[in-house]
Amino acid sequence: MEGPSEIGLIGENFDAGLMGRMRDDEYESRSGSDNFEGASGDDQDGGDDQPQRKKRYHRHTPHQIQELEAFFKECPHPDEKQRLDLSKRLALENKQVKFWFQNRRTQMKTQLERHENIMLRQENDKLRAENSLMKDAMSNPVCNNCGGPAIPGQISFEEHQIRIENARLKDELNRICALANKFLGKPISSLTNPMALPTSNSGLELGIGRNGIGGSSTLGTPLPMGLDLGDGVLGTQPAMPGIRPALGLMGNEVQLERSMLIDLALAAMEELLKMTQAESPLWIKSLDGEKEMFNHEEYARLFSPCIGPKPTGYITEATRETGIVIINSLALVETLMDANRWAEMFPSMIARAINLDVISNGMGGTRNGALQVMHAEVQLLSPLVPVRQVRFIRFCKQHAEGVWAVVDVSIEIGHDAANAQPVMSCRRLPSGCIVQDMPNGYSKVTWLEHWEYDENVVHQLYRPLLSSGVGFGAHRWIATLQRQCECLAILMSSSISSDDHTALSQAGRRSMLKLAQRMTSNFCSGVCASSARKWDSLHIGTLGDDMKVMTRKNVDDPGEPPGIVLSAATSVWVPVSRQRLFDFLRDERLRSEWDILSNGGPMQEMVHIAKGQGHGNCVSLLRANAVNANDSSMLILQETWMDASCSVVVYAPVDVQSLNVVMSGGDSAYVALLPSGFAILPDGHCNDNGCNGTLQKGGGGNDGGGSLLTVGFQILVNSLPTAKLTVESVDTVNNLISCTIQKIKASLRVA
């Protein structure tokens, strides 16, 4: 009825998407098990001498069903103590509760089996269709020379198929040779002989490497960052089925061939392992041993550019970082190989991510050997730093039991014919992570970031931050991963923190957190101008280059007020430490010093939902002092978080009626909000604590001399989507931002 696989599915892998789909399936149909039980305890315990009585059914009340369903979502397998507590609370017998949970688990298992049967049936239909097409092709052979029907007896069918395959391979060889110089910047000597072209062993090459290109990466490269890969166990893995012969990325303009992608993936994996090696000469440690700098000369000596020479005017940034994360290796690998889950794990960094094509799903039902092409927009929370758009391949490989590596490397596509500009102003050299399982569900993650980018498109204020490796560096990925995994662990826990002084149910907490997640995501899109949301940029000369103003018309999005929405954002340098600035902005008692929504007085925190161990990582519900009775209908939803790389304070006014629905566990997608807020980054200048922008323990304003403060506002300038934007509206939001910055500086007593 229930097995270990179900338990692992529910609690071990932190697959929020799968859990959501399972919970959605629960409401597709309702069987009688939700509303009635088998015979009661009195009926079952009767002796043989009693007359046989008619089977009696018990229909639960809607309240009982609601409570049982809510408990089932949290714990599908209650123990005796939990069943007894439920029976007392719901006025049911212990056996009735036990039977209800048994029936509910059986129902879920049936739904899963039905879904699996549907998928298998679809796959069977697909195979039947393919089989029919193959039979038709075999019954009507075509001559390879003239294109006409083949004459029976002239050649055997097997010989005919061999000739067709030979012609296809020759054509594939010619295309690869023609693209070799353009793609890799050098000819591929191994392709001078058609016999060197990979055919049926491509999957094996991804699994264990190719001789001469990446083949030694798994067996001869020293271990990265002190990881123990154990004995070599990769030589006996089976070949990988389903390798796709070609990949179309831009229609008929460019064809990236399978062999080139495999070569590039294996070379990138070999480079990743060498760059994450613990005592690698590629990194030079500082005198105190706390920092390390990238050795450009050693890198140029060891590696030839796998994606061609560095473009003129580009500069290089390379960083690596190691951290302990509360997630197991399999769950992290699955997250990285899924574009949507990857973006959800790094919400403030990944504006948008999509899988363009899958070359291989892996071997033996695992991600070992998985290779896919992806597109991503990587952002820094400031309008003065353009979003990094990069198209790359992502390759995953298992090196030992509990040890995985995931590597990315850019694919050069050429130029955008419409704009006559490069598709991307940056290149992602082999970058990625090594993940090793640790006890108690933790993992040791070593992250490497290696970029080449055009510094001319970056504002002067942010160039030190990027050149120091803080802006897009490895420590930012590790810090975000640690914070997100800690939040997931808290949400998956059935216990509620003692700091959470709310009466919210688990469903209410999840709905509130989902609403806050959407609020922060919309704030980031308004600041960074990514393609995650449709914005039209406005170029107004009087505002200068430091202010980014955009507008969008909302007609049918229920999560945003209808009408014309104006977004404005800018970034300034503040001579205050990041910790002090963050504490000031998130303190509801000091909010009246800069926020016009506070009605001139301190705000009161009504709800506090912790998202991490630090007090600043939370979702809050604030209420301002009401000037009159009508002002009590508006509350402030606020999310704040801080890690070693960035600090964020995002808020939005929300009406009480909508929040009551969310706090009771209702759908948050229909709550309209316009977010505003702040993003705080270190300024990137070196100090006694180093250039990596991390804080000393305890904070207290000792993390450097200054911070980069980004201020963003989104306001509704007209409730009619057909209305036109006026200059007065732009001036209003511009004055609002300027006034807010001046008030913050005045309160902190800085110029």
Side-chain angles (χ1 to χ4, degrees), residues 22 269 348 361 399 410 530 550 554 683 696 705:
M22 290 173 59
M269 180 63 71
S348 62
N361 282 317
H399 291 273
S410 285
S530 66
M550 302 181 296
N554 179 42
D683 57 12
Q696 287 185 346

Side-chain angles (χ1 to χ4, degrees), residues 552-558 560-565 719-722:
R552 67 189 305 264
K553 295 181 180 180
N554 179 42
V555 178
D556 53 2
D557 184 1
E560 194 174 67
I564 299 180
V565 178
S719 58
L720 296 177
T722 57

Side-chain angles (χ1 to χ4, degrees), residues 508-543:
R509 294 172 70 221
R510 286 197 174 92
S511 295
M512 286 284 290
L513 292 174
K514 188 174 182 180
L515 178 62
Q517 181 184 11
R518 176 163 64 89
M519 174 183 69
T520 303
S521 176
N522 292 352
F523 169 76
C524 295
S525 71
V527 168
C528 301
S530 66
S531 64
R533 293 171 67 85
K534 176 62 177 177
W535 290 99
D536 297 322
S537 297
L538 299 178
H539 302 284
I540 303 175
T542 58
L543 298 181

Side-chain angles (χ1 to χ4, degrees), residues 43 67 87 194 205 253 300 315 332 393 430-431 507 588 628 713:
D43 294 347
E67 291 295 324
S87 63
E205 290 168 350
E253 184 179 351
I315 65 173
L332 182 53
I393 59 172
S431 306
E588 66 273 7
N628 53 63
F713 284 93

Side-chain angles (χ1 to χ4, degrees), residues 1-11 22 68 71-83 86 97-98 100-102 104-106 108-109:
M1 187 171 296
E2 67 270 6
S5 59
E6 278 192 49
I7 299 176
L9 180 66
I10 294 173
M22 290 173 59
L68 289 169
F71 195 90
F72 181 82
K73 291 180 180 180
E74 304 302 326
C75 180
H77 300 269
D79 54 25
E80 183 67 25
K81 182 179 179 182
Q82 291 172 319
R83 291 199 302 266
L86 275 175
V97 175
K98 178 180 179 181
W100 189 92
F101 274 91
Q102 289 178 348
R104 192 67 183 85
R105 290 193 297 267
T106 302
M108 174 172 285
K109 184 177 180 181

Side-chain angles (χ1 to χ4, degrees), residues 47-55:
D48 297 335
D49 55 340
Q50 295 181 357
Q52 184 176 4
R53 289 185 288 179
K54 185 177 181 180
K55 192 174 185 180

Side-chain angles (χ1 to χ4, degrees), residues 707-718:
S707 302
L708 297 175
L709 174 64
T710 295
V711 184
F713 284 93
Q714 295 182 26
I715 61 174
L716 184 68
V717 296
N718 199 309

